[in-house]
Amino acid sequence: MKAHQQTAAMHRRTAIATGVLFLITHVTAVGGSLLYTPAQNNPNYILGSGSEMQILLGVFLEVILALAVVGTAVALYPVVKRYNEGVALGYVGLRTLEAAVIAVGVVPLLTLITLRQTAGTDADVGALVTVGNALVALHNWTFLLGPGLVCGTNTVLMAYLMYKSHLVPRFIPILGLVGGPLIFVVNAVQLFVRDAHIPAEWGFVVIPIFAWEVTLALWLIFKGFRSVAAAPEPELTATTNQRLSAA
């Protein structure tokens, strides 16, 4: 009984930590995107003057985002691996890949800041503008690949595990099973169709995946996992069964 209580307490802490990490990913992702506005909306940003603190703060938030993304996978793995270890490992791998792409994406913006600070008055203005726009575009491409295509894929994996395991109410993983493919398709269109314009009315496609992560986070924080105690143990192999029978 004591061991069971300790396990339940450990899983409760894991649920809270996972929920908090998911919320951190949302706050840092939105915050970083908003802080990058000056560089993304001004083609001549590299030629400007003044403080770059807003961009640097956005970079810092995206680094926290990358760490939190990995944290969600590491926290969930010990719980969900009991239902399908292969899929659970796939989720950890894809979340790590997503975080790596996010981390790579901040480097162009740091380079942009460096060029902005060191460019002399005799610099080729046209070349600087071209390089600056290319660095911003590189960051945007990493956003499409990481939080877009890769996130859409790993969302399906974890939603499947949550649906199969009954660890949370089934309406939550259904949101992920719908939202993951939607995000993947929208980003795939932008990848293959140059200058693809996604109508504003299509904003609804982000709702399911946003709802999936937020409702999952809040459920884990306030309710925890529903059936961890009843999780199936790994099946015994035929060899192990024979040895037990012989004993």
Side-chain angles (χ1 to χ4, degrees):
M1 179 64 71
K2 185 177 180 180
H4 172 73
Q5 291 175 342
Q6 291 176 341
T7 300
M10 180 185 68
H11 283 120
R12 185 71 189 97
R13 291 192 294 270
T14 298
I16 293 173
T18 304
V20 170
L21 286 169
F22 267 114
L23 292 181
I24 289 174
T25 63
H26 277 280
V27 172
T28 52
V30 174
S33 179
L34 293 176
L35 289 169
Y36 290 148
T37 301
Q40 291 181 326
N41 292 350
N42 181 7
N44 298 318
Y45 176 78
I46 196 171
L47 301 177
S49 59
S51 174
E52 296 88 8
M53 184 57 64
Q54 183 173 338
I55 305 299
L56 293 175
L57 182 57
V59 167
F60 178 74
L61 288 181
E62 284 212 315
V63 172
I64 300 299
L65 167 62
L67 295 174
V69 164
V70 175
T72 58
V74 172
L76 282 172
Y77 177 73
V79 178
V80 298
K81 72 175 183 178
R82 306 178 72 176
Y83 300 94
N84 191 316
E85 188 170 4
V87 175
L89 280 173
Y91 181 73
V92 173
L94 287 173
R95 284 296 263 184
T96 303
L97 175 60
E98 179 186 350
V101 174
I102 292 171
V104 169
V106 305
V107 176
L109 294 178
L110 292 174
T111 305
L112 178 67
I113 295 299
T114 300
L115 289 175
R116 192 169 186 259
Q117 293 173 340
T118 59
T121 55
D122 58 344
D124 186 330
V125 173
L128 277 178
V129 171
T130 300
V131 171
N133 290 334
L135 291 172
V136 172
L138 179 56
H139 172 268
N140 293 340
W141 277 116
T142 61
F143 184 85
L144 183 147
L145 295 174
L149 295 174
V150 178
C151 180
T153 305
N154 63 47
T155 293
V156 172
L157 296 185
M158 183 50 63
Y160 164 77
L161 287 173
M162 288 294 175
Y163 185 87
K164 179 181 177 181
S165 64
H166 301 275
L167 289 170
V168 296
R170 284 203 160 182
F171 78 88
I172 297 177
I174 287 175
L175 291 171
L177 291 172
V178 173
L182 280 176
I183 289 296
F184 185 92
V185 169
V186 168
N187 283 276
V189 169
Q190 293 180 306
L191 176 66
F192 288 106
V193 181
R194 181 172 296 182
D195 298 325
H197 176 66
I198 304 298
E201 293 78 9
W202 281 39
F204 73 90
V205 300
V206 305
I207 295 176
I209 196 168
F210 176 80
W212 142 255
E213 292 195 350
V214 171
T215 54
L216 177 63
L218 294 177
W219 182 273
L220 293 179
I221 291 171
F222 294 106
K223 295 290 187 178
F225 299 110
R226 295 177 70 185
S227 56
V228 171
E233 296 294 342
E235 294 183 2
L236 296 175
T237 63
T239 303
T240 304
N241 281 326
Q242 291 174 358
R243 290 177 179 174
L244 291 175
S245 299

